[in-house]
Amino acid sequence: MIKKALHIILLLLLLAGLGHAQEVQQQLPDKTRILFLLDGSGSMLAGWGDTNRITAAKELLGDLVDSLKANPKLDLALRVYGHLYRRSSQNCKDTRLEVGFGKNNHNQIINELKTIEPKGTTPIAYSLEQAANDFPSTAGYRNIVIIITDGIESCDGDPCAVSLALQKRGIFLKPFIIGIGMGQDFKEQFKCIGEYYDAKDISSFQKALAKAVSTSLDKTTASIELLDINKRPRETNVNVSFINNFTKEPAFDFVHYRDPQGRPDSVQLDPVLTYDVVVNTLPPVIKRNVNLIPGKHNVITISSPQGKLSIKQKSASTYQNGVRAIIRERGKTAIVNIHDINTQQQYLVGKYDVEVLTTPRRHFRNVEINQDQTTTLTLPDPGLLNLYNNAPGYGSIYEIDESGRQEWVYDLAHDQSRISLALQPGTYKIVFRVDKAPGSKYTAIKTVTIESGRSAVVKLFN
């Protein structure tokens, strides 16, 4: 009875573990915070259509805030800069959180917008630094900043560096910048801060606001199609990393999956970010600057055809530390992988140079990996060289090739009387001088042939 109960308990624990393993492990936070960072500097009084910039910005931002009341998973806040001190004072700390994050604060933000009167300068960098303190530390939120401005930094700050630092700290995601009446020429200056929208008129400003908010809120999914050599989406079971293109840090990591019908699954991703998608094959394949269409299902296709390489040697264990191989793409110096002997590994279809770290090393040039095929390299078994010496000394082992040329293989330990060394089959020369010999002319030279699976004995000095 007790044994049966234990079996039931173990079964329940196993099922519980499997259930946990099958839970979605990487999910976007359920809620979002948006901080509106509004330019209140003196230049916002400039005319814009039938009104001026600040009036249009306040009215349209107020309408947007009002329309967001129905979203229970969205918190809003308002910070303004350049509105407290006159431009003549050049106050580069002129910024204030006018309305902090909170539930049902929409009317408070709308009313506060009505009171803002442009006065001063444009401390964007300092305002971003202060904005880092505006976001509560409560988990479960994505933090978004929407900057509304009609000018660039005027206080010698570095908003690019500030934005990057705060994104790397996870304070907020890549900001949106809406440039009022600035033109596309400023896109280059603002792209180091975040995503720039050019609002050349009131209508385009309204669209830019809506686009920034919808990008922040709309559910966005993607599937990855890993294409084989025939451009069919058949590759799978590969780690795929979504790297934040701005911070260069990983945002999401998935092991690619295809269902029994061969269809890749969908994952939810954050459309606020621009990604470098890395398929972690050997070598990796990278698709850069991937922008997702918010609120849509995105299909990302990446060519990553693979085949297998197997390197075999029956008695590789004869080598004290085993044997590995260095894999490089044909004609390149960068190492793709360190491959263990007697294993097989997938590589991208292509040609490779393989350097097997036997003693001496063996080289295979121009090794071809083909789609869904296994390329096999087989090495002969090593033999064993046993060296005996009754006096310490100095020496080396050289391999002699078929043309008679020699290549250094190994330096002998100075004070060991017996050395056992696994060597690949071949002809070798041993050059040795006793430590106390009175000159180079007493150097001894001996040759030996090493055969697979056999031992050879050489006495350097009797």
Side-chain angles (χ1 to χ4, degrees):
M1 187 70 180
I2 294 174
K3 188 174 181 180
K4 184 177 181 181
L6 287 173
H7 283 163
I8 293 172
I9 291 171
L10 289 171
L11 179 61
L12 290 173
L13 289 173
L14 177 61
L15 291 173
L18 287 173
H20 177 73
Q22 291 176 1
E23 292 176 0
V24 176
Q25 301 294 310
Q26 298 181 70
Q27 299 185 73
L28 291 178
D30 190 42
K31 300 177 181 179
T32 300
R33 300 187 187 103
I34 296 179
L35 172 69
F36 295 105
L37 181 53
L38 178 62
D39 187 346
S41 65
S43 59
M44 288 288 283
L45 291 170
W48 205 30
D50 296 332
T51 181
N52 59 25
R53 294 172 179 175
I54 191 63
T55 300
K58 292 194 297 184
E59 289 180 356
L60 292 176
L61 184 54
D63 291 343
L64 176 66
V65 170
D66 186 64
S67 71
L68 296 173
K69 287 180 178 179
N71 191 334
K73 295 184 178 181
L74 174 64
D75 289 357
L76 303 177
L78 173 68
R79 172 176 283 275
V80 187
Y81 61 82
H83 65 306
L84 300 175
Y85 300 90
R86 295 289 177 188
R87 183 184 293 271
S88 58
S89 68
Q90 190 60 23
N91 190 315
C92 287
K93 294 185 178 181
D94 183 355
T95 183
R96 185 165 68 194
L97 179 65
E98 296 295 353
V99 181
F101 286 104
K103 297 296 182 184
N104 302 315
N105 64 353
H106 304 76
N107 288 336
Q108 187 181 353
I109 293 175
I110 293 168
N111 292 332
E112 188 61 40
L113 283 169
K114 296 175 182 177
T115 69
I116 295 168
E117 296 294 336
K119 292 186 180 72
T121 189
T122 312
I124 297 177
Y126 181 76
S127 299
L128 276 176
E129 285 181 335
Q130 299 308 300
N133 303 314
D134 297 344
F135 294 97
S137 58
T138 312
Y141 283 84
R142 297 159 63 245
N143 294 336
I144 307 290
V145 177
I146 299 178
I147 303 171
I148 301 166
T149 185
D150 74 337
I152 60 175
E153 170 74 28
S154 62
C155 284
D156 297 326
D158 189 346
C160 298
V162 172
S163 178
L164 178 59
L166 294 180
Q167 288 181 67
K168 284 191 170 184
R169 285 171 52 196
I171 302 298
F172 50 69
L173 298 173
K174 182 175 67 175
F176 298 97
I177 306 101
I178 303 176
I180 296 178
M182 298 179 67
Q184 282 290 349
D185 292 345
F186 287 90
K187 184 172 185 176
E188 285 298 311
Q189 297 186 48
F190 278 106
K191 75 176 183 179
C192 62
I193 302 175
E195 186 73 21
Y196 177 78
Y197 297 130
D198 174 37
K200 60 183 178 181
D201 51 35
I202 293 174
S203 175
S204 58
F205 174 73
Q206 189 173 26
K207 291 178 182 177
L209 264 180
K211 177 71 179 298
V213 171
S214 65
T215 300
S216 303
L217 300 180
D218 289 348
K219 183 178 180 180
T220 305
T221 58
S223 59
I224 309 295
E225 292 191 345
L226 302 181
L227 308 182
D228 66 10
I229 198 71
N230 299 310
K231 305 302 180 185
R232 296 175 297 181
R234 294 179 54 214
E235 300 289 350
T236 191
N237 298 329
V238 179
N239 289 356
V240 178
S241 302
F242 287 78
I243 306 300
N244 185 326
N245 175 265
F246 194 83
T247 65
K248 308 306 179 186
E249 296 177 339
F252 301 94
D253 282 282
F254 304 104
V255 178
H256 189 268
Y257 171 83
R258 285 194 297 123
D259 67 17
Q261 287 72 45
R263 298 168 300 193
D265 66 341
S266 297
V267 292
Q268 187 178 355
L269 298 173
D270 201 323
V272 172
L273 303 178
T274 298
Y275 299 99
D276 291 338
V277 182
V278 182
V279 182
N280 293 290
T281 48
L282 293 172
V285 180
I286 305 175
K287 189 167 188 174
R288 301 190 184 278
N289 300 312
V290 174
N291 288 293
L292 303 176
I293 301 173
K296 304 286 186 181
H297 178 69
N298 298 257
V299 178
I300 303 169
T301 59
I302 303 177
S303 180
S304 52
Q306 296 181 91
K308 293 180 180 178
L309 173 64
S310 175
I311 306 177
K312 295 182 178 181
Q313 186 180 49
K314 288 182 180 179
S315 300
S317 58
T318 304
Y319 290 101
Q320 186 175 4
N321 297 315
V323 180
R324 308 178 87 185
I326 298 173
I327 313 297
R328 297 180 174 89
E329 289 183 88
R330 178 70 176 134
K332 296 184 179 180
T333 58
I335 294 175
V336 170
N337 188 35
I338 304 296
H339 186 125
D340 289 322
I341 295 296
N342 295 322
T343 66
Q344 64 179 18
Q345 174 69 54
Q346 290 199 115
Y347 295 89
L348 284 181
V349 167
K351 294 183 179 181
Y352 296 85
D353 291 334
V354 179
E355 181 180 3
V356 186
L357 301 180
T358 50
T359 306
R361 301 184 181 196
R362 293 295 184 241
H363 298 267
F364 297 85
R365 309 290 186 188
N366 214 26
V367 176
E368 189 164 3
I369 304 296
N370 298 305
Q371 178 74 54
D372 295 331
Q373 296 181 21
T374 300
T375 299
T376 301
L377 304 178
T378 302
L379 289 95
D381 290 348
L384 191 64
L385 173 63
N386 293 299
L387 292 175
Y388 294 91
N389 180 37
N390 60 6
Y394 301 93
S396 299
I397 300 174
Y398 299 85
E399 183 178 23
I400 308 300
D401 66 16
E402 294 178 354
S403 64
R405 292 176 299 184
Q406 70 180 33
E407 184 174 352
W408 174 90
V409 172
Y410 189 84
D411 281 336
L412 301 177
H414 170 257
D415 55 357
Q416 289 186 12
S417 60
R418 176 177 176 177
I419 298 174
S420 291
L421 183 66
L423 292 173
Q424 287 301 108
T427 301
Y428 295 87
K429 180 170 75 174
I430 304 162
V431 179
F432 183 81
R433 177 179 61 80
V434 173
D435 196 359
K436 294 182 179 180
S440 299
K441 62 185 178 181
Y442 296 100
T443 297
I445 297 176
K446 298 195 175 185
T447 59
V448 61
T449 298
I450 300 297
E451 299 178 12
S452 289
R454 304 189 65 176
S455 296
V457 177
V458 173
K459 295 181 179 179
L460 296 176
F461 282 91
N462 296 325

